[in-house]
Amino acid sequence: MIEAHSLTKRYGNTVAVDNLSFTVQPGRVTGFLGPNGAGKSTTMRLILGLDRPTGGTVLINGRHYASLHQPLRNVGALLETKAFHPGRRAVHHLRWIAASNGIPSRRVQEVLETVGLTAVASKRAGGYSLGMSQRLQLAAALLGDPQILLLDEPVNGLDPEGIQWMRQFMQNWAQRGGTVFVSSHLLSEMAVTADHLVIIGRGRLIADVPTKEFVSRSAGGFVRVRSPQADKIEQLLTEKGADFSREPDGALAVRGVEAARVGELVAEHGLVLHELSPQQASLEEAFLAITRSAQEFHTGGPAAGVGPPPEYGPPPEYGPPPGYGAPPPGYGPPPGYGPPPGYGPPPGYGPPPGYGSPPGGPPSGGPPLGSPPPGYGPPPQTPPYGQG
């Protein structure tokens, strides 16, 4: 179990974590969500004793991390993807970590097999891809077979098969009674992985709630109603004061009324239904709605105060000085500048006498000048193959 009580961390005038309290229970996967700059990574570092809190406390099974004997047997953490020497082989990297916590060396082979790195264990870790590096760091976290796992963006760099494997691994770990605290920006993955959510923004707690409850409470849910008698159903809903709208395909989206009540209303009037289905907002939609005011970095346009000031442009009368570009008085070629007197071709310069057409024009009966010689041109036409 992880317990944070009024946890606070300041860096100078910046408050990274602000009076944060929550509990991470065993037996479930707890997702740790928040916008960029919300304080998630700082909170995880405070849990692991890598930063000292300005105020408050955070305990692991009732004790501070620094007081744990052989901490890898209590907590396994994946915070940095490349937290290893690139020139060291993966198996050697895991062996020295195991030795530092009194973990038998045979455990190294077990975790390598668990994360699927047995075949490349003797390769230098610096040549690993991002996904392989993630697996290596997870193997290090599993060495002590800890009860608690802290995972920061564990699926980064994994392929679809690896993401599915990681999801099932975390769920199985929790089902065995372990505690899993996982931070991720992949909300679609968190929606199918996390049982519970801790959501923060600007270092403060926004929500501490089961995942299904958080999504169901979102304002984006509605009941989809499709019928060949949609106009009559629309009239009934209007009479009942229900909130609804038309979908692009003609179906009705009814809000604030449960699907069962809509079905009963339609049945009372003998109308036909082709579809009656509750629709819930996605975790992503619910998350964006609840954290909108806590977003530190916005996209889609410049932030307030960023950009050119009002009436931005060149100063008045900006341009070249008066008269710029005109030559000064008297500027030009010196007097007498030009070719010397009598300059031109020498006497008799030109084609020799008789150069050009022969006297009397072209020979009698010959082709006019400029025509191709006799026989020059396209070949004579022959009938197509099989004809003539």
Side-chain angles (χ1 to χ4, degrees):
M1 179 185 295
I2 302 172
E3 300 171 281
H5 301 282
S6 302
L7 196 59
T8 301
K9 179 60 180 178
R10 293 187 180 89
Y11 297 98
N13 295 326
T14 301
V15 181
V17 179
D18 190 1
N19 197 34
L20 185 60
S21 298
F22 62 87
T23 300
V24 182
Q25 297 283 357
R28 67 189 186 191
V29 178
T30 300
F32 191 33
L33 308 182
N36 285 333
K40 301 185 300 297
S41 295
T42 300
T43 301
M44 286 192 160
R45 291 178 60 84
L46 292 171
I47 294 172
L48 296 172
L50 298 174
D51 276 331
R52 181 174 297 177
T54 307
T57 59
V58 58
L59 303 176
I60 298 173
N61 291 334
R63 301 175 62 183
H64 292 285
Y65 182 87
S67 67
L68 295 174
H69 179 62
Q70 296 181 331
L72 286 187
R73 294 183 179 272
N74 294 270
V75 184
L78 191 165
L79 297 188
E80 300 290 340
T81 305
K82 298 285 186 177
F84 48 74
H85 193 290
R88 182 173 289 143
R89 303 180 193 279
V91 63
H92 296 160
H93 171 71
L94 295 176
R95 282 175 181 169
W96 81 259
I97 295 177
S100 69
N101 276 251
I103 299 170
S105 60
R106 66 175 180 276
R107 178 64 179 161
V108 171
Q109 294 302 323
E110 293 174 1
V111 297
L112 284 170
E113 184 175 352
T114 298
V115 302
L117 290 181
T118 302
V120 293
S122 61
K123 291 188 176 182
R124 299 189 188 279
Y128 277 12
S129 67
L130 178 58
M132 293 168 66
S133 298
Q134 289 282 67
R135 290 173 182 264
L136 177 58
Q137 290 301 92
L138 179 61
L142 299 178
L143 276 172
D145 194 20
Q147 182 187 7
I148 299 172
L149 289 178
L150 262 69
L151 309 175
D152 190 7
E153 302 286 354
V155 299
N156 274 4
L158 297 182
D159 57 19
E161 185 275 334
I163 293 175
Q164 182 186 52
W165 173 85
M166 180 66 76
R167 180 199 315 145
Q168 294 172 346
F169 171 82
M170 290 188 289
Q171 292 173 336
N172 290 338
W173 195 272
Q175 290 171 3
R176 289 166 40 200
T179 302
V180 181
F181 193 43
V182 54
S183 169
S184 178
H185 287 114
L186 296 180
L187 299 183
S188 59
E189 187 58 31
M190 283 291 93
V192 295
T193 303
D195 306 299
H196 195 89
L197 298 174
V198 172
I199 303 175
I200 66 173
R202 298 185 183 274
R204 298 179 180 178
L205 182 68
I206 295 177
D208 186 350
V209 63
T211 305
K212 291 183 179 179
E213 180 181 336
F214 175 70
V215 175
S216 65
R217 280 165 35 186
S218 170
F222 63 92
V223 177
R224 176 178 166 85
V225 180
R226 189 166 57 87
S227 168
Q229 298 171 299
D231 292 340
K232 293 183 179 180
I233 297 176
E234 185 174 341
Q235 184 178 353
L236 289 175
L237 294 172
T238 302
E239 293 173 356
K240 297 296 183 180
D243 178 18
F244 66 90
S245 61
R246 282 272 190 172
E247 296 284 280
D249 63 352
L252 299 173
V254 185
R255 296 174 177 82
V257 183
E258 293 183 357
R261 179 59 190 136
V262 175
E264 292 169 358
L265 180 64
V266 173
E268 289 171 4
H269 292 80
L271 301 179
V272 176
L273 276 178
H274 285 177
E275 180 183 353
L276 181 66
S277 59
Q279 306 289 319
Q280 286 189 346
S282 66
L283 175 59
E284 179 180 273
E285 292 168 332
F287 171 82
L288 291 175
I290 200 173
T291 61
R292 200 173 308 278
S293 62
Q295 294 279 351
E296 186 170 351
F297 306 102
H298 294 269
T299 57
V306 177
E311 302 179 358
Y312 178 81
E317 302 179 358
Y318 179 82
Y324 179 83
Y331 182 83
Y337 180 82
Y343 180 82
Y349 180 82
Y355 181 82
S357 299
S364 176
L369 291 176
S371 300
Y376 182 83
Q381 296 292 325
T382 59
Y385 180 77
Q387 298 182 15

